[in-house]
Amino acid sequence: MEKIAKKLTIRQNCKKIIDKLILDGHKIILISHRVFPQYKDAYKTTIDWLGVHKVNYSKLVLSEIPDKTKECLQNKIDIMVDDRADQCKIMTDNGIRCVLMKTKFNKKDCKNFVYATSFNNLYEIINKMK
């Protein structure tokens, strides 16, 4: 998984929208579940990937389990964006506002959540949720 992650491309307009959100005064806290044995050094792999793609962020948090509720609560996350419907359900059930980032793998689940079809769409949704 680590080898694949290092070669992933950045989603269209991701950097542009994150930069715009930061300029608007938002803190961008990245919370990801990446663990051994799929990753030998998940933190370094992630930091390196973010650096290569020049993605700005306030903080990076790696969750030890797929459920990121604890990390969202500890970091006072207002809006969590995730591409896993099962995790959005858990976080929503725990009082965390969640936006599902639509992918080809979760499109059947979108009807159950507030979802974004692109980073431009995500920007619109976040502004409405403020």
Side-chain angles (χ1 to χ4, degrees):
M1 191 63 196
E2 190 169 48
K3 287 179 185 179
I4 293 168
K6 288 178 180 181
K7 295 177 183 178
L8 290 174
T9 57
I10 192 166
R11 288 183 71 161
Q12 184 177 9
N13 292 325
C14 173
K15 179 183 171 12
K16 179 181 115 184
I17 295 303
I18 288 175
D19 288 347
K20 195 171 182 178
L21 287 166
I22 290 170
L23 284 174
D24 289 351
H26 295 277
K27 282 204 281 187
I28 304 298
I29 300 175
L30 305 174
I31 303 173
S32 185
H33 171 64
R34 299 176 178 197
V35 294
F36 183 83
Q38 292 88 359
Y39 290 83
K40 290 178 186 160
D41 190 341
Y43 193 81
K44 181 178 179 345
T45 299
T46 306
I47 290 287
D48 290 350
W49 187 92
L50 292 165
V52 165
H53 296 284
K54 298 181 172 76
V55 176
N56 294 310
Y57 57 96
S58 305
K59 183 178 182 181
L60 172 63
V61 177
L62 294 182
S63 175
E64 293 181 8
I65 60 173
D67 176 7
K68 301 168 191 148
T69 300
K70 180 179 96 175
E71 289 79 9
C72 287
L73 294 171
Q74 286 174 338
N75 288 282
K76 298 180 174 79
I77 300 299
D78 293 326
I79 302 169
M80 178 63 174
V81 180
D82 205 300
D83 61 358
R84 291 189 49 191
D86 61 333
Q87 297 309 312
C88 281
K89 169 90 171 90
I90 292 168
M91 289 182 279
T92 300
D93 288 349
N94 283 286
I96 298 161
R97 292 189 300 170
C98 203
V99 177
L100 180 66
M101 184 58 90
K102 185 177 180 182
T103 70
K104 62 183 175 182
F105 303 108
N106 68 16
K107 60 185 170 187
K108 67 179 176 5
D109 299 308
C110 287
K111 65 184 179 295
N112 301 319
F113 300 98
V114 173
Y115 69 91
T117 56
S118 67
F119 273 88
N120 288 338
N121 181 225
L122 177 63
Y123 184 78
E124 293 168 6
I125 292 167
I126 289 172
N127 281 318
K128 287 179 186 173
M129 293 176 89
K130 283 199 269 187

